[in-house]
Amino acid sequence: MAFTLPDLPYSHDALAGHGMSAETLEYHHDLHHNAYVVNGNKLVAGTEWENKSLEDIITGTYQAGAVAQNGIFNNASQHWNHMQFWQMMGPGKTAMPSELEKALVESFGSIDRFNDEFKAAGASQFGSGWCWLVKNTDGSLQVTKTENGVNPLCFGQTALLGCDVWEHSYYIDFRNKRPDYLSNFLDNLVNWEFVAAQL
C-alpha cells in the first residue's frame, strides 16, 4: 500500500493556545512527517512489502536487538507513530473519561503517579524516541519508552498514548526544556477521549 500523508485533524494554529505553535506543526507535520511518507514509498517500491499493510511492514521489518533499524522500518514506523500522535492531541481540552481514569488508577495507583511515570519515561529517553502508555496482551497498562521510531506494535502492545520526544517536536516552543514540553502535553494537549477509545 502507498503511504499517504493524512491531513491534520485540526488547523495548524489550533493548538497554539495550548502550547504547540503553528510553526511547530508546519515543520513537524508538513515537512518531517511528509518526509517519512515520501522516503517510505521509495524504499518499499518493488519489494515484498509494497502491497502490505503499514502494520505488517512495521512488524515484519523490525529487528529485535538491532542497534539501528533498517530504512523501511524507520520510515514506516515513524509514519504510523505520527498518524497516532496527531489524533492523540486536540484543541479542545477534554476531560478524562471515567473508564480510562479507573484503569489508570488501578494500574498506577493514581493519575498523578501515571503522569509522573509518563513524564519520567519521556525525559529519560536518551536522544530521539517516544514515550508511551500501552496496553499489554494480558490487559495490563504500562508506561514504556522506545528509541528512534520503534513503537509498541513491535512488542505486541496496543498504543493508548504516545508522545514524540524527538527535538523537532518541541524545540521551537520549548527549546531544550523537554520536561516542560511533556508536562504541557499531558496538561493541555492530550485528547483523552481518543486515548480511552483505544482501550
Side-chain angles (χ1 to χ4, degrees):
M1 66 165 244
F3 300 175
T4 56
L5 181 69
D7 291 334
L8 286 171
Y10 31 75
S11 64
H12 285 86
D13 62 357
L15 305 182
H18 304 281
M20 186 171 286
S21 65
E23 185 180 9
T24 289
L25 282 174
E26 287 163 2
Y27 275 96
H28 199 171
H29 174 268
D30 301 1
L31 299 179
H32 284 279
H33 188 176
N34 190 55
Y36 300 128
V37 170
V38 172
N39 292 330
N41 281 327
K42 289 178 182 176
L43 289 167
V44 301
T47 72
E48 63 183 296
W49 305 107
E50 187 170 21
N51 296 309
K52 301 286 188 181
S53 71
L54 184 58
E55 291 77 11
D56 285 344
I57 295 171
I58 291 167
T59 57
T61 59
Y62 174 66
Q63 297 172 319
V67 174
Q69 297 296 321
N70 61 82
I72 291 178
F73 172 84
N74 286 335
N75 286 279
S77 187
Q78 280 287 75
H79 177 38
W80 186 91
N81 291 349
H82 284 83
M83 288 197 301
Q84 308 307 307
F85 187 54
W86 309 134
Q87 296 180 80
M88 290 169 174
M89 298 185 291
K93 193 169 181 179
T94 61
M96 185 180 291
S98 58
E99 68 270 23
L100 176 60
E101 183 175 1
K102 179 182 177 183
L104 290 173
V105 170
E106 287 177 353
S107 297
F108 299 97
S110 69
I111 300 301
D112 286 344
R113 181 71 181 273
F114 157 70
N115 286 340
D116 289 344
E117 288 195 27
F118 190 87
K119 289 185 287 187
S124 64
Q125 172 56 43
F126 182 74
S128 300
W130 294 74
C131 57
W132 305 93
L133 170 66
V134 301
K135 183 170 74 171
N136 294 308
T137 53
D138 64 1
S140 63
L141 302 188
Q142 180 183 359
V143 167
T144 66
K145 59 184 178 180
T146 57
E147 72 279 2
N148 299 320
V150 177
N151 68 43
L153 294 177
C154 303
F155 312 106
Q157 299 165 322
T158 301
L160 304 182
L161 178 64
C163 187
D164 187 346
V165 295
W166 287 58
E167 282 191 342
H168 63 244
S169 67
Y170 60 87
Y171 210 84
I172 290 171
D173 301 315
F174 291 92
R175 296 300 185 257
N176 64 338
K177 297 174 182 173
R178 189 191 286 183
D180 291 352
Y181 159 72
L182 288 160
S183 293
N184 184 72
F185 176 78
L186 288 173
D187 292 343
N188 299 311
L189 290 170
V190 175
N191 178 351
W192 292 110
E193 292 179 359
F194 178 85
V195 177
Q198 310 315 301
L199 277 172

